[in-house]
Amino acid sequence: MSYIKNIVIVGGGTSGWMTAAMLARLFKSTLNITLIESKEIGTIGVGEATIPPLQIFNSVLGINESDFIKATQATFKLGIQFENWGKQGDCYMHAFGNVGKDLGFTPFHHYWLSTSPTETNSFWHYSLNFQAAKKQKFQVIGQLPNAPLAGLTHAYHFDAALYAQLLRSYSERQKC
């Protein structure tokens, strides 16, 4: 039985270096990892919009959130807002995190739907992330004090080229 011993990643940037960093973290003792990127093309330095699982990705790599924020010039975000959603002038925000609190084995949204709401926007009245975003308030908090409710769930907006540099340094330290 033969096993894969060498991995070649073609293309750098955020996705290439994310792949290299995770492979290096998980398989550095069993794989030889090589990343090939073009000096002519370079990394596109756009703002990268993420969703909350990026926190888990960085955590698995052992990247401290404060260090990540400084290195990538990141800002926090509580959801994603879509302008002209559905029709011109409409706006829709998909807030991250929980909405309401489940009631026993019944997810909150089922309970909410059973009340036959006439105003569908009232659903977001039960989202802490939505309310905080609309009021432009934020604090890293995992759980509300003295309450059984989760705190704010966040993601980031950051410079993709700076994140690629951070992951490249990480990967090189892992001997990728």
Side-chain angles (χ1 to χ4, degrees), residues 61-101:
L61 295 180
I63 297 174
N64 175 281
E65 185 174 65
S66 296
D67 296 337
F68 162 78
I69 289 168
K70 288 176 192 167
T72 63
Q73 299 176 4
T75 58
F76 294 105
K77 64 185 226 179
L78 299 174
I80 301 171
Q81 184 161 303
F82 300 90
E83 301 291 331
N84 300 315
W85 183 260
K87 65 180 181 184
Q88 195 68 20
D90 273 357
C91 177
Y92 166 73
M93 178 191 285
H94 176 84
F96 301 140
N98 296 332
V99 177
K101 174 123 178 72

Side-chain angles (χ1 to χ4, degrees), residues 151-172:
L152 293 171
T153 301
H154 65 277
Y156 314 97
H157 195 86
F158 56 83
D159 184 306
L162 294 176
Y163 189 49
Q165 288 174 12
L166 175 69
L167 294 172
R168 179 181 184 155
S169 295
Y170 173 90
S171 298
E172 289 172 346

Side-chain angles (χ1 to χ4, degrees), residues 14-84:
T14 305
S15 60
W17 285 111
M18 285 178 82
T19 304
M22 189 57 73
L23 287 171
R25 170 73 174 100
L26 299 176
F27 302 106
K28 68 181 173 185
S29 63
T30 59
L31 291 175
N32 297 313
I33 304 163
T34 303
L35 186 140
I36 300 169
E37 63 183 333
S38 169
K39 289 182 181 179
E40 288 79 35
I41 296 174
T43 301
I44 300 171
V46 298
E48 189 78 54
T50 66
I51 56 175
L54 187 68
Q55 292 176 43
I56 298 167
F57 183 88
N58 285 344
S59 178
V60 169
L61 295 180
I63 297 174
N64 175 281
E65 185 174 65
S66 296
D67 296 337
F68 162 78
I69 289 168
K70 288 176 192 167
T72 63
Q73 299 176 4
T75 58
F76 294 105
K77 64 185 226 179
L78 299 174
I80 301 171
Q81 184 161 303
F82 300 90
E83 301 291 331
N84 300 315

Side-chain angles (χ1 to χ4, degrees), residues 100-176:
K101 174 123 178 72
D102 294 347
L103 302 167
F105 294 112
T106 306
F108 174 78
H109 69 279
H110 290 295
Y111 175 76
W112 180 80
L113 286 169
S114 74
T115 64
S116 301
T118 56
E119 178 56 48
T120 57
N121 287 334
S122 71
F123 182 71
W124 294 107
H125 293 172
Y126 300 95
S127 167
L128 181 60
N129 269 54
F130 183 88
Q131 297 303 320
K134 289 299 184 181
K135 291 177 176 62
Q136 298 182 6
K137 303 285 184 185
F138 177 76
Q139 179 179 347
V140 176
I141 183 168
Q143 182 163 349
L144 295 177
N146 304 315
L149 301 173
L152 293 171
T153 301
H154 65 277
Y156 314 97
H157 195 86
F158 56 83
D159 184 306
L162 294 176
Y163 189 49
Q165 288 174 12
L166 175 69
L167 294 172
R168 179 181 184 155
S169 295
Y170 173 90
S171 298
E172 289 172 346
R173 284 192 309 274
Q174 301 295 312
K175 299 186 190 287
C176 174

